[in-house]
Each structure stands twice: as C-alpha cells, then as structure tokens.
Amino acid sequence: VRINKKNQVTQKRKNLSKSSIIVADIMCGVGPFAIPLASLHGVQVHANDLNPESFKYLLINEKLNKCNAEGLLKTYNMDGRDFIRLLEKDNMMYHHAIMNLPAIAIEFLDVFRGWKPPSTDPTHMPTIHVHCFVKYVTLEDMEETALKRCEKALGCSLNRVRDNVEIHVVRDVSPKKNMLCISFRLPEEVKDLARISLSRMQEKDTNDSGCNVQNPKKPRLD
C-alpha cells in the first residue's frame, strides 16, 4: 500500500506533529494507522503486530512510503501486552495508544493495571483509542455496554467527564451490531492496581482464539 503524499500535509501540521506527538500502535496490522501518521503527518510511531505475515507487509509499507527517512517509525513483532510492558520498561513516553483489533482489543486493556508513567513526567497518562464490536438494542445501550467492557478489563471505572471519554461508530457491521472506537484518558486509578501475569494471559488468549500464528492468513492490501 503506497500512501499519496501530494498536497496532503501543510508545513504547520508537520512542525506541530513532529514536536509533540508520539503514538503507540499496539495491534497495527499492515499499518493503516501507523504508516499515514508517520509518512503524512510527521508523527513518531511505535508500531507493533504479533502476526508475522502482517509484520512482513508492515515493513514493506514502511519502505514504500519512506516512513523512516526521518526515523519516525519504529516497528516491533511481539504480543501486544509484551509491547506495552516493553515501552514501560524503556521509560518510553507516548501520548496516544491505538488498539485496532476489534474482536479482542478491549481484553488487552488489562495490561494497564499497575501501569507506571515515564519518570520524565510522573503525572502523564496517555489517551487510549480501543476498537470493538458491540451488539445493542438502543444507542444508549450500545455505549454503556462498550464502557462496561472497558471498565471490566481495566479493573476500574471510567468517568465520562474526568477521563475525556468519547465514543463513535466506525462502521455498521450488521443490524444492531456496530464497530466502535472508545477513546479515553487512562485513569489514575490503574497505577494502584495489581499487575497481571503476562504468561497466564497469553496462554488464555491462545486457547480462546484458537488461532495458529505460525500459519496466519495473508492480509488484504487494498
């Protein structure tokens, strides 16, 4: 996938992005968010995906779109929870975390239990953008269902005002089922929660998904 740069970015947007924004794309796939952010908007991106086939095409797209001409894109091929822990261990500051694996992304929010902000800014809490599928009866029911699932995984409540919660419909999947993106500032309460065991959660994910990552499906590139 080649991204067309012509007339896409003003110099002002480039300067703002380069000076201020760092993104962690936890389940980046072939790079539908990471590639444009780095190549078009000058955003520094840490892009991760566990699937080896997706990761292969991420590297191809990185080269096609010259994302690393200015060193803006750093790629990783590992489990999403391990990726977040690695950034934390490396004391890496990021302002936004994207979780675009709607079938199971919400479940990965549990990795933020016991999260430690970077030592350079102990008060910093990133904004999370998590995608999910939700079945619903009414629109109000849809939003409440999504929020409750996020709260269960995080292990603490979300306050719509305090945590800057925003919910929008990405697309209709079927009648009474939508794909949503829930955005919120990571609550301070997570810092006081007990951390999860990564080995136990990875075993659970493998059993629940039934996926064989050694023989993944080839991703579509359109």
Side-chain angles (χ1 to χ4, degrees):
V1 177
R2 184 185 295 275
I3 308 297
N4 183 6
K5 295 184 180 182
K6 188 175 181 181
N7 296 325
Q8 291 287 327
V9 188
T10 64
Q11 190 61 43
K12 180 179 180 181
R13 181 181 294 175
K14 283 185 179 180
N15 292 338
L16 274 175
S17 298
K18 289 177 184 177
S19 65
S20 60
I21 302 297
I22 302 174
V23 172
D25 195 346
I26 302 170
M27 304 149 177
C28 69
V30 300
F33 288 105
I35 298 298
L37 283 170
S39 65
L40 299 183
H41 303 298
V43 173
Q44 183 178 344
V45 183
H46 295 268
N48 172 71
D49 201 88
L50 174 64
N51 186 312
E53 196 74 2
S54 294
F55 185 72
K56 180 179 80 172
Y57 283 98
L58 172 67
L59 298 182
I60 292 172
N61 289 334
E62 173 190 23
K63 185 176 180 180
L64 278 173
N65 294 282
K66 301 178 181 178
C67 294
N68 265 334
E70 299 180 48
L72 292 173
L73 185 67
K74 185 171 183 181
T75 57
Y76 307 75
N77 180 207
M78 58 197 303
D79 174 80
R81 292 186 179 94
D82 286 336
F83 171 62
I84 290 298
R85 289 282 176 86
L86 176 66
L87 295 183
E88 185 180 319
K89 178 183 176 183
D90 290 347
N91 203 35
M92 184 65 63
M93 165 84 80
Y94 53 92
H95 303 90
H96 297 270
I98 301 171
M99 305 175 74
N100 184 27
L101 191 61
I104 60 171
I106 281 181
E107 297 173 20
F108 281 71
L109 289 172
D110 60 8
V111 75
F112 290 105
R113 297 181 189 181
W115 188 77
K116 295 178 177 62
S119 60
T120 52
D121 187 356
T123 64
H124 174 73
M125 303 299 284
T127 296
I128 312 297
H129 309 275
V130 59
H131 294 73
C132 68
F133 295 125
V134 176
K135 293 181 180 180
Y136 64 95
V137 177
T138 66
L139 293 179
E140 293 77 11
D141 170 64
M142 176 186 71
E143 293 195 358
E144 285 304 311
T145 298
L147 277 180
K148 286 178 181 177
R149 288 174 58 193
C150 289
E151 290 175 336
K152 181 179 179 181
L154 284 169
C156 64
S157 63
L158 286 169
N159 182 287
R160 285 181 179 258
V161 176
R162 180 198 64 192
D163 301 319
N164 299 322
V165 176
E166 295 183 3
I167 302 174
H168 73 267
V169 176
V170 177
R171 62 182 175 90
D172 295 333
V173 178
S174 63
K176 299 299 181 180
K177 182 179 180 180
N178 284 340
M179 178 178 169
L180 305 182
C181 178
I182 303 100
S183 300
F184 57 88
R185 181 177 180 269
L186 192 64
E188 295 275 350
E189 288 86 342
V190 299
K191 294 189 289 186
D192 299 323
L193 298 175
R195 292 162 77 85
I196 63 167
S197 168
L198 294 188
S199 58
R200 179 176 61 82
M201 295 309 300
Q202 288 163 2
E203 181 179 353
K204 177 180 181 297
D205 290 339
T206 300
N207 292 336
D208 289 351
S209 67
C211 293
N212 181 353
V213 297
Q214 300 303 317
N215 297 287
K217 292 182 179 179
K218 186 175 179 180
R220 290 182 60 185
L221 298 177
D222 44 40

